[in-house]
């Protein structure tokens, strides 16, 4: 098993490296002038030339790539063309905001999606199933940014619609982890904590609606498939209670595809975070990435992609480990 | 005697009380779509940067909303008869926020720094400018040639504390790295905190030389909110007091119909253009001229944009110096356009690619669609390419190779100063081709000669006549289609007063802003 994990780990590193190569050359292929975007449309030719020189944009692409990789191996992601700050510092600052939003929303969509899916499968054809399916179809088909705008309209009077915290309250605690909920709570700053919580509601709700709908739908079909299997019929014919059949036989076997789905859900979540953070002006890595793409800020784009790739492949690695925990019979060769 | 002392004490206490009441209170909350590039005004003077810079920094003179030049750090000035020497008398009661004195030496250092860096902040300064310290409070600018818009350009050179700049200088960078986020000037507000792309906080400067005697806000919080709809919602919910760049007609109507808010149109120097690259069919001036007659200008502004803009006469905005009401207004004449195209040999029509950046400038979406529809009537097939990335757009339209980028693109141009000399008329000076701002690669000898001459002409009447003549040349040999000037609105709650944008599109002065009920 250890050799499997080593091979898997090596594969993940290669995947991330490939992502840097692809992203670097893709961003270079897009026509544009990042120096002019960074300087502003009215900037003089001298300003643009200075930025180009400072950022090494006047050098051949291959040289730029070599320089980038040399820096990367030293743990330096380069300097953002737009913010002029080290990309690593930018990401270190933005990532906790996205993690906070993603984890906070997962506290809701994960149990809700699982319960909804199982409930619908067990009560297939009932009114609960019909209503839940209608919700799932709606949640899957509505664009996330549209849901975000709708939520803003509906709840905007009662809750803050943009940002992470009331700016006046952001002075009342010290940034330690960057996870505001944690930082404010551990430092006993209740007003700041409540402000962060209220700012989280709308973006998290948007992600919850989209994720619950998708997860619920997938879980339903997985559990339904297992419930129709012959061994379930056998279990029932043995006189086992419906509860035992469901929890001991059905859910356990449905767990592996469900774990896969949750892993895949992460990819969707990352894509949605880009949209949700833009609409709610949430200062996370998604908004940072969007701004970087619009400005063709190469170091920031690659830094963002690299970070997201690491999260994604890391999550898949954890999914692999969970397979083993869920079903020890799974063989790794 | 005792009674007199009692009353005197009472009056004095009353005065102290009044002073206490006059201290700035409350917070002005602003939503803006884009963050400042830098706090250093000698490095970048893009409108979003100026919005931040106008808190901590000031200039010798200021161009007000009427376009007039008013004293700021300079009390008065004289101009020599030959218009080559400008002598400024500085205020004696001004100090930088780090406590160092503001004097003629400080002014000279700032011009040395601005011209030494030779970046965006120096873009309007004339070449060959010499700065001479006459005495502590008198400074003289000696120009190599007369330069008519010189006074206006001084509103773009902000005064940085030389002490702060020198003490943070690294490798001869004029303190640039440090001043990027640590402004030290003479202005009314200090930069208290700046979370890039999130917000910045300006807090009042207690030692500000003008003093604090009105309902000034104690702090100004500018939040960066990219989505227009979110900015509107923030304003409607009372989470911000001012929202910049609300441009959609429906959004503006929402605010106009609500008595709690006001949407004030600003005197805008911006003109919306459809710019043409001098290549292919556009090398022929008749084809470019034909483009002038395609758009139904008045119905675009009246019906499509619901009256939130107007056609211009000539190529510049009525808000800036040099506007000539005798020049013809943009109008549709499809038969004239067709005739010009026929004359140029395009009887079977032509195809052009039109780039827009609607995420940055939403108005260009209906404009480009209307243009495409009308152009089809004269056999011009317009392919609209809406570019998402600012970098791609700017890279294409400002490419140093004339054959790269689009045939045509929509862009709004601010004059930057209260003169068309820098832009828009300066854009089409043949020496300004990319990386300069003449993305059209426009070249016209007669136009160039007038441009140079206008810059040297001190007499405003003669200069206005030259600007007028230049625009007549452009009408016959156009580099762009001047669609018109669009109204820029400042949207705010009724409690905000005194906020105004200059013709360059940025805020004139944070000090003039007041909050009722604070």
């Amino acid at each position: 098993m250890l050799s499997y994990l080593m091979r898997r780990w090596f594969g993940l590193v290669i995947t991330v490296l490939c992502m840097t190569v692809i992203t670097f050359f893709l961003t270079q292929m897009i026509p544009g002038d990042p120096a002019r975007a960074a300087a502003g449309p009215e900037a003089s030719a001298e300003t643009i030339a200075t930025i180009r020189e400072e950022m090494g944009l006047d050098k051949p692409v291959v040289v730029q790539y070599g320089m980038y990789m040399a820096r990367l191996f030293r743990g330096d992601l380069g300097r953002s063309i737009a913010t002029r700050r080290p990309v690593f510092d930018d990401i270190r600052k933005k990532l906790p905001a996205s993690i906070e939003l993603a984890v906070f929303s997962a506290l809701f969509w994960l149990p809700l999606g699982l319960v909804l899916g199982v409930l619908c499968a067990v009560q297939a054809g009932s009114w609960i199933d019909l209503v839940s399916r209608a919700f799932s179809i709606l949640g899957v088909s509505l664009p996330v940014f549209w849901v975000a705008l709708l939520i803003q309209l509906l709840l905007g009077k009662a809750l803050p619609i943009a940002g992470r915290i009331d700016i006046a309250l952001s002075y009342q605690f010290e940034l330690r982890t960057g996870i505001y909920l944690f930082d404010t709570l551990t430092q006993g700053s209740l007003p700041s904590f409540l402000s962060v919580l209220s700012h989280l509601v709308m973006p998290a709700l948007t992600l919850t609606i989209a994720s619950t709908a998708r997860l619920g739908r997938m879980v339903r079909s997985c559990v339904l498939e297992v419930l129709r299997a012959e061994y379930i019929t056998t279990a029932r014919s043995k006189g086992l209670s419906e509860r035992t059949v469901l929890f001991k036989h059905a859910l356990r076997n449905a767990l592996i595809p469900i774990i896969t789905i949750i892993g895949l859900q992460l990819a969707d979540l990352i894509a949605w975070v880009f949209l949700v953070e833009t609409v709610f002006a949430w200062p996370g890595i998604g908004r940072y990435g969007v701004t970087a793409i619009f400005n063709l800020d190469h170091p920031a784009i690659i830094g963002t992609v690299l970070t997201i790739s690491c999260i994604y492949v890391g999550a898949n690695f954890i999914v692999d480990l969970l397979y083993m925990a869920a079903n020890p019979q799974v063989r790794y060769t | 005697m005792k009674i007199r002392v009692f009353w005197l004490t009472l009056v004095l206490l009353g005065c102290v009380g009044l002073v206490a009441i006059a201290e700035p209170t409350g917070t002005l909350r602003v939503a803006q779509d884009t963050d400042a590039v830098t706090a250093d005004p000698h490095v970048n003077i893009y409108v979003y940067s100026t919005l931040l810079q106008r808190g901590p920094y000031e200039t010798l003179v200021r161009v007000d909303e009427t376009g007039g030049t008013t004293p700021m750090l300079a009390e008065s000035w004289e101009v020599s008869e030959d218009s080559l020497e400008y002598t400024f008398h500085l205020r004696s009661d001004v100090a930088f926020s780090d406590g160092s004195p503001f004097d003629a030496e400080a002014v000279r250092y700032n011009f040395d720094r601005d011209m030494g860096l030779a970046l965006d902040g120096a873009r309007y300064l004339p070449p060959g400018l010499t700065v001479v310290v006459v005495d502590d409070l008198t400074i003289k600018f000696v120009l190599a040639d007369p330069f008519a818009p010189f006074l206006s350009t001084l509103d773009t050179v902000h005064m940085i504390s030389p002490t702060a700049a020198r003490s943070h200088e690294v490798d001869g960078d004029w303190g640039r790295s440090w001043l990027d986020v640590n402004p030290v000037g003479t202005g009314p507000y200090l930069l208290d905190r700046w979370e890039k792309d999130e917000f910045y906080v300006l807090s009042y400067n207690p030692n500000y030389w003008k003093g604090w005697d009105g309902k000034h806000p104690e702090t100004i919080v500018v939040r960066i909110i990219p989505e227009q709809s979110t900015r509107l919602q923030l304003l409607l919910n009372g989470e911000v007091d001012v929202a910049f760049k609300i441009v959609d007609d429906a959004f503006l109507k929402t605010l106009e119909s609500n008595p709690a808010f006001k949407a004030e149109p600003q005197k805008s120097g911006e003109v919306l253009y459809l710019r043409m690259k001098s290549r292919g069919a556009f090398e022929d001036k008749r084809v470019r001229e034909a483009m002038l007659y395609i758009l139904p200008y008045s119905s675009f502004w009246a019906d499509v944009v619901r009256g939130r803009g107007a056609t211009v006469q000539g190529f510049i905005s009525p808000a800036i110096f040099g506007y000539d009401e005798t020049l013809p207004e943009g109008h549709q004449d499809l038969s004239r356009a067709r005739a010009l195209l026929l004359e140029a040999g395009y009887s079977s029509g032509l195809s052009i690619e039109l780039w827009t950046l609607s995420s940055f400038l939403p108005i260009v979406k209906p404009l480009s669609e209307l243009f495409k529809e009308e152009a089809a009537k004269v056999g011009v097939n317009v392919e609209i390419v809406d570019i998402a990335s600012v970098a791609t757009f700017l890279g294409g339209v400002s490419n140093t190779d004339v054959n790269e980028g689009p045939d045509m693109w929509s862009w709004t141009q601010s004059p930057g100063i209260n003169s068309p000399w820098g832009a828009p008329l300066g854009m089409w000076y043949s020496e300004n081709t990319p990386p300069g701002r003449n993305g059209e690669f426009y070249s016209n000898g007669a136009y160039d000669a007038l441009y140079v001459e206008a810059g040297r002409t001190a007499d405003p009447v003669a200069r206005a006549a030259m600007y007028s003549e230049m625009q007549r040349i452009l009408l016959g040999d156009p580099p762009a289609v001047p669609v018109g000037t669009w109204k820029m609105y400042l949207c705010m709650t009724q409690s905000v007063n005194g906020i105004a944008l200059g013709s360059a599109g940025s805020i004139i002065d944070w000090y003039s802003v007041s909050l009722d009920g604070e």
Side-chain angles (χ1 to χ4, degrees):
Chain A
M1 192 178 85
L2 191 68
S3 72
Y4 166 78
L5 288 179
M6 291 291 282
R7 278 203 315 276
R8 192 84 180 84
W9 186 250
F10 182 71
L12 296 181
V13 173
I14 297 291
T15 309
V16 171
L17 280 177
C18 288
M19 283 305 294
T20 65
V21 180
I22 294 166
T23 317
F24 187 90
F25 286 99
L26 270 181
T27 53
Q28 293 290 340
M29 279 164 67
I30 303 169
D33 188 348
R36 189 173 278 274
E42 304 296 317
S44 63
E46 289 80 7
T47 307
I48 295 158
T50 307
I51 293 176
R52 202 167 280 143
E53 196 187 324
E54 281 175 357
M55 296 297 166
L57 298 170
D58 53 343
K59 296 185 171 62
V61 177
V62 179
V63 176
Q64 285 184 48
Y65 181 69
M67 284 164 62
Y68 183 81
M69 289 313 283
R71 278 201 309 265
L72 189 63
F73 282 118
R74 292 197 303 271
D76 179 2
L77 290 172
R79 200 171 271 270
S80 159
I81 300 169
T83 67
R84 319 264 174 99
R85 285 192 306 260
V87 172
F88 185 79
D89 289 357
D90 279 347
I91 288 176
R92 198 171 52 182
K93 209 167 158 191
K94 308 281 179 191
L95 191 59
S98 298
I99 289 175
E100 184 167 47
L101 176 59
V103 171
F104 186 76
S105 69
L107 291 177
F108 298 95
W109 65 257
L110 205 54
L112 271 174
L114 288 171
V115 170
L116 197 75
V118 173
L119 203 66
C120 289
V122 172
Q123 309 229 357
S126 70
W127 67 269
I128 298 176
D129 184 30
L130 282 175
V131 171
S132 305
R133 274 162 70 192
F135 165 76
S136 296
I137 291 167
L138 213 63
V140 169
S141 22
L142 292 177
V144 172
F145 73 90
W146 191 83
V147 174
L149 291 172
L150 199 68
I151 288 174
Q152 264 188 354
L153 273 174
L154 293 175
L155 303 178
K157 293 262 181 262
L159 290 161
I161 57 168
R164 252 185 117 182
I165 187 172
D166 185 344
I167 292 167
L169 294 169
S170 70
Y171 289 87
Q172 292 182 2
F173 66 98
E174 189 192 330
L175 267 187
R176 287 177 188 158
T177 62
I179 308 283
Y180 281 13
L181 280 178
F182 182 81
D183 287 347
T184 51
L185 204 61
T186 51
Q187 290 170 52
S189 179
L190 191 65
S192 306
F193 176 77
L194 292 174
S195 173
V196 177
L197 205 60
S198 62
H199 279 80
L200 262 169
V201 173
M202 280 202 269
L205 183 62
T206 310
L207 290 177
T208 301
I209 289 173
S211 304
T212 306
R214 187 152 302 193
L215 184 64
R217 213 171 138 78
M218 301 272 203
V219 169
R220 179 186 179 274
S221 78
C222 288
V223 176
L224 215 53
E225 201 178 314
V226 172
L227 284 176
R228 283 172 189 152
E230 285 178 355
Y231 63 87
I232 296 292
T233 316
T234 310
R236 280 188 180 129
S237 63
K238 276 162 67 183
L240 293 175
S241 69
E242 205 47 40
R243 191 186 166 90
T244 312
V245 170
L246 180 67
F247 286 99
K248 207 171 173 189
H249 297 274
L251 285 188
R252 202 156 179 180
N253 283 293
L255 211 54
I256 288 182
I258 289 172
I259 290 170
T260 313
I261 291 161
I262 292 170
L264 289 171
Q265 184 90 355
L266 197 75
D268 287 337
L269 197 67
I270 289 165
W272 293 333
V273 157
F274 271 68
L275 299 167
V276 170
E277 287 187 356
T278 304
V279 175
F280 292 102
W282 189 265
I285 197 165
R287 193 176 148 197
Y288 181 69
V290 170
T291 312
I293 291 165
F294 281 160
N295 290 328
L296 264 189
D297 187 347
H298 302 154
I301 294 173
I302 302 166
T304 308
V305 171
L306 194 64
T307 309
I308 289 171
S309 306
C310 287
I311 294 171
Y312 191 61
V313 296
N316 273 290
F317 186 64
I318 293 168
V319 164
D320 285 354
L321 296 179
L322 287 175
Y323 279 167
M324 285 191 280
N327 189 351
Q329 286 181 323
V330 173
R331 293 278 181 270
Y332 295 96
T333 51
Chain B
M1 180 66 183
K2 274 185 180 173
I3 291 170
R4 200 177 292 170
V5 170
F6 170 77
W7 281 112
L8 198 67
T9 313
L10 211 63
V11 170
L12 278 171
L13 282 173
C15 290
V16 170
L18 279 176
V19 170
I21 289 165
E23 282 290 295
T25 53
T27 301
L28 176 75
R29 300 155 307 163
V30 180
Q32 170 67 294
D33 64 320
T34 305
D35 204 355
V37 175
T38 171
D40 189 336
H42 297 169
V43 173
N44 188 283
I45 50 170
Y46 187 30
V47 284
Y48 300 113
S49 299
T50 311
L51 191 74
L52 183 153
Q53 292 157 1
R54 286 273 153 116
Y57 291 117
E58 289 177 315
T59 47
L60 290 180
V61 297
R62 188 135 293 176
V63 175
D64 60 24
E65 57 265 52
T66 64
T69 309
T70 54
M72 177 58 80
L73 293 174
E75 271 179 327
S76 59
W77 56 87
E78 297 113 36
V79 185
S80 66
E81 271 190 27
D82 58 4
S83 300
L84 288 174
E85 288 184 8
Y86 288 71
T87 307
F88 287 83
H89 304 284
L90 309 177
R91 295 191 65 91
S92 59
D93 54 352
V94 182
F96 289 101
S97 59
D98 60 356
S100 58
F102 169 76
D103 53 19
E105 270 302 340
V107 176
R108 185 172 67 176
Y109 174 82
N110 272 278
F111 277 83
D112 285 351
R113 183 178 189 269
D114 204 6
M115 292 187 287
L117 284 169
L119 294 171
D120 203 34
R123 89 164 99 126
Y124 296 113
L125 291 178
L129 176 70
T130 314
V131 186
V132 182
V133 174
V134 178
D135 60 44
D136 276 1
L137 294 175
T138 313
I139 190 106
K140 189 193 283 181
F141 295 93
V142 183
L143 279 64
D145 291 301
F147 180 59
F150 184 63
L151 271 179
S152 296
T153 65
L154 293 182
D155 190 25
T156 65
V157 184
H158 296 76
M159 296 295 128
I160 296 173
S161 159
T163 313
R166 284 192 186 110
S167 59
H168 293 95
E169 189 166 316
V170 180
D171 300 329
D173 75 341
W174 297 87
R176 189 181 151 191
S177 305
W178 190 80
L179 286 163
D180 190 42
V181 288
N182 297 290
V184 184
T186 61
Y189 287 92
L190 310 171
L191 181 62
D192 193 41
R193 190 171 166 194
W194 187 8
E195 296 293 334
K196 194 100 178 172
D197 292 328
E198 285 180 53
F199 65 87
Y200 55 83
V201 180
L202 301 167
S203 58
Y204 88 104
N205 174 2
N207 303 315
Y208 184 52
W209 59 273
K210 279 189 190 170
W212 298 96
D213 59 354
K215 291 178 176 177
H216 303 278
E218 186 183 358
T219 49
I220 298 167
V221 176
V222 179
R223 295 170 66 181
I224 312 304
I225 311 290
E227 275 291 312
Q228 185 189 196
S229 60
T230 309
R231 288 196 298 280
L232 176 77
Q233 280 298 324
L234 284 170
L235 186 63
L236 291 171
N237 291 357
E239 288 186 60
V240 297
D241 307 298
V242 182
F244 280 84
K245 223 172 165 188
I246 300 289
V247 292
D248 277 10
D249 180 61
F251 290 172
L252 288 165
K253 274 195 181 131
T254 305
L255 293 170
E256 284 163 346
S257 60
N258 189 331
F261 302 99
K262 48 187 174 184
E264 289 184 350
Q266 302 296 299
K267 210 168 184 185
S268 171
E270 302 232 357
V271 172
L272 184 61
Y273 296 102
L274 288 172
R275 300 172 66 175
M276 299 172 274
K277 215 158 245 193
S278 301
R279 68 166 191 226
F282 286 150
E283 272 186 290
D284 191 323
K285 70 176 183 183
R286 289 168 296 189
V287 178
R288 279 182 276 123
E289 194 187 346
M291 300 298 130
L292 289 182
Y293 300 108
I294 287 175
L295 262 182
Y297 298 81
S298 43
S299 67
F300 171 70
W301 291 113
D303 306 330
V304 183
V305 196
R306 313 269 179 218
R308 302 199 186 274
T311 318
V312 288
Q313 289 166 278
F315 280 76
I316 63 175
S317 159
I320 60 167
F321 176 79
Y323 187 70
D324 182 356
E325 287 181 2
T326 65
L327 290 171
E329 196 175 58
H331 64 280
Q332 189 180 40
D333 187 346
L334 292 179
S335 48
R336 173 106 179 99
R338 208 174 285 118
L340 280 162
L341 288 170
L342 269 174
E343 211 178 292
Y346 290 94
S347 51
S348 54
L350 77 145
S351 290
I352 51 172
E353 189 179 85
L354 168 64
W355 280 19
T356 57
L357 187 66
S358 64
S359 58
F360 180 77
L361 200 63
I363 195 172
V364 300
K365 210 173 174 109
L367 169 69
S368 55
E369 278 157 13
L370 182 65
F371 184 75
K372 179 187 168 92
E373 200 180 305
E374 297 297 314
K377 294 176 185 169
V378 293
V380 178
N381 173 40
V382 179
E383 191 198 335
I384 301 167
V385 182
D386 193 31
I387 307 284
S389 155
V390 181
T392 305
F393 185 88
L394 294 176
V397 304
S398 313
N399 202 297
T400 48
D401 183 350
V402 69
N403 295 311
E404 293 293 325
D407 303 304
M408 199 175 208
W409 68 99
S410 54
W411 192 246
T412 177
Q413 188 61 51
S414 148
I417 52 174
N418 182 34
S419 164
W421 188 85
L425 297 185
M427 287 189 319
W428 298 308
Y429 180 47
S430 64
E431 288 191 16
N432 281 342
T433 52
R437 287 186 288 170
N438 183 357
E440 291 90 340
F441 287 81
Y442 182 73
S443 179
N444 183 308
Y447 182 87
D448 278 1
L450 272 167
Y451 173 73
V452 173
E453 194 52 34
R456 287 179 177 164
T457 305
D459 175 21
V461 179
R463 195 164 78 245
M466 286 176 192
Y467 287 148
S468 188
E469 186 53 32
M470 285 164 74
Q471 291 178 76
R472 283 186 201 284
I473 293 174
L474 294 180
L475 285 167
D477 180 14
V481 178
V483 179
T485 180
W486 51 297
K487 288 182 192 165
M488 216 185 296
Y489 289 82
L490 258 182
C491 300
M492 62 197 108
T493 59
Q494 293 289 357
S495 62
V496 182
N497 295 303
I499 191 165
L501 299 182
S503 56
S506 190
I507 192 153
I508 294 174
D509 195 354
W510 281 119
Y511 183 72
S512 61
V513 181
S514 63
L515 281 172
D516 286 341
E518 293 290 351

